[in-house]
Amino acid sequence: MKLVLVQQPLHRPQRVPGGYAGESFLYDDSWMSAKMGTNTVMAHGNRITLYPGVCFALARLSSLLKPALTLAWVDDVRRKNTFLDDDVPDLEGHLFGNSRIALIRPRAALIEAFGPTCFYCSMRVGPDAHVDHVLPWSRVGIDGLANLVLACPSCNTSKSQLLPARSHVLCALDRGRDPITELAASIDWPVQFDRVVTSARGLYASQPEGCPIWLGRNKITALQVDFAWLQGYRINLSDVAESHQ
């Protein structure tokens, strides 16, 4: 699988159509080709190393890059599979999953378990309360109950795609693994507790210091790097792997 990745997609993103042969800007691809073998991959440590600053830029631009790459991939699949036509329903959903699944069941369960109040400001909300992804869906796409909370329209709109203050993530996790797991089981819903923990670590560690962080309605602060804030949450790596399947 790793050989296929290097032979096909990994040596192409920095090769602009038209014969441009400028310097690489994401990672060193000078040793890659469509005809290379496993020994070459092993000689380079079975990995690629992003240039300084690339991971920060990709993380910050993810909400723009993801839909563009998705559309390009779907177009490529249609082009290479001539039996598909424009009438094939939801090809994008088949390839990548639905962008946002219906949240009616978790909304009702969250209201019953935690009361009809906004997770962020404690304002009372009605049966049409918003269900918010604490870690923004546009960045990680986690629909598990561990990442879902009730939010009033004002807080949900204000937060939008911003990363929340780490205290909000900790409060969501502090609802407890077991209670959230039981609640999710009652509505036949995924939990993804460990994936929230690992994704939070990766998201906040990959942001440049000083990037905007959402504290509350119309309140923004600057991120201060802290690598120890989630140390109390231990994870089961097999559970994380299963949550991605």
Side-chain angles (χ1 to χ4, degrees):
M1 184 63 178
K2 62 188 176 184
L3 182 59
V4 174
L5 286 174
V6 176
Q7 288 178 335
Q8 296 188 22
L10 286 181
H11 84 288
R12 300 183 188 277
Q14 303 173 101
R15 300 169 188 264
V16 180
Y20 173 75
E23 295 182 358
S24 58
F25 52 90
L26 297 173
Y27 47 83
D28 177 19
D29 64 356
S30 61
W31 53 277
M32 300 178 185
S33 74
K35 298 181 179 181
M36 62 182 299
T38 303
N39 289 339
T40 304
V41 179
M42 294 178 62
H44 286 82
N46 291 308
R47 64 177 180 267
I48 61 171
T49 302
L50 297 178
Y51 291 139
V54 169
C55 63
F56 297 129
L58 292 177
R60 297 185 70 178
L61 293 173
S62 62
S63 60
L64 296 175
L65 292 173
K66 184 176 180 179
L69 294 173
T70 297
L71 288 174
W73 191 278
V74 170
D75 287 343
D76 206 36
V77 169
R78 289 190 183 279
R79 188 166 51 251
K80 293 180 181 298
N81 295 273
T82 54
F83 63 90
L84 296 174
D85 55 42
D86 292 337
D87 294 327
V88 174
D90 196 19
L91 180 58
E92 178 181 340
H94 173 73
L95 293 171
F96 299 99
N98 293 322
S99 59
R100 282 180 183 268
I101 56 181
L103 299 176
I104 297 174
R105 280 183 291 159
R107 179 190 295 115
L110 289 169
I111 290 176
E112 181 177 352
F114 302 106
T117 58
C118 175
F119 175 80
Y120 301 111
C121 72
S122 299
M123 179 182 292
R124 186 174 179 82
V125 295
D128 295 328
H130 292 191
V131 176
D132 180 58
H133 295 73
V134 180
L135 297 178
W137 188 93
S138 62
R139 295 176 183 255
V140 290
I142 299 177
D143 284 312
L145 202 62
N147 193 42
L148 301 181
V149 297
L150 293 175
C152 68
S154 296
C155 283
N156 196 30
T157 301
S158 173
K159 178 172 172 278
S160 188
Q161 298 181 9
L162 292 173
L163 282 180
R166 286 172 286 214
S167 59
H168 292 315
V169 181
L170 291 173
C171 283
L173 294 173
D174 284 345
R175 293 177 296 176
R177 181 192 296 268
D178 291 341
I180 290 294
T181 300
E182 292 176 7
L183 186 61
S186 71
I187 59 172
D188 191 24
W189 200 265
V191 184
Q192 297 181 303
F193 192 97
D194 289 328
R195 191 177 171 197
V196 172
V197 176
T198 54
S199 296
R201 285 174 175 157
L203 275 174
Y204 289 88
S206 64
Q207 304 304 306
E209 188 162 1
C211 77
I213 295 295
W214 188 82
L215 284 176
R217 196 181 311 163
N218 301 321
K219 296 179 181 177
I220 306 294
T221 189
L223 174 68
Q224 294 182 348
V225 176
D226 177 6
F227 293 103
W229 67 288
L230 274 172
Q231 282 187 349
Y233 288 95
R234 297 184 179 278
I235 63 168
N236 185 327
L237 293 179
S238 62
D239 289 344
V240 176
E242 289 175 4
S243 74
H244 283 76
Q245 294 177 358

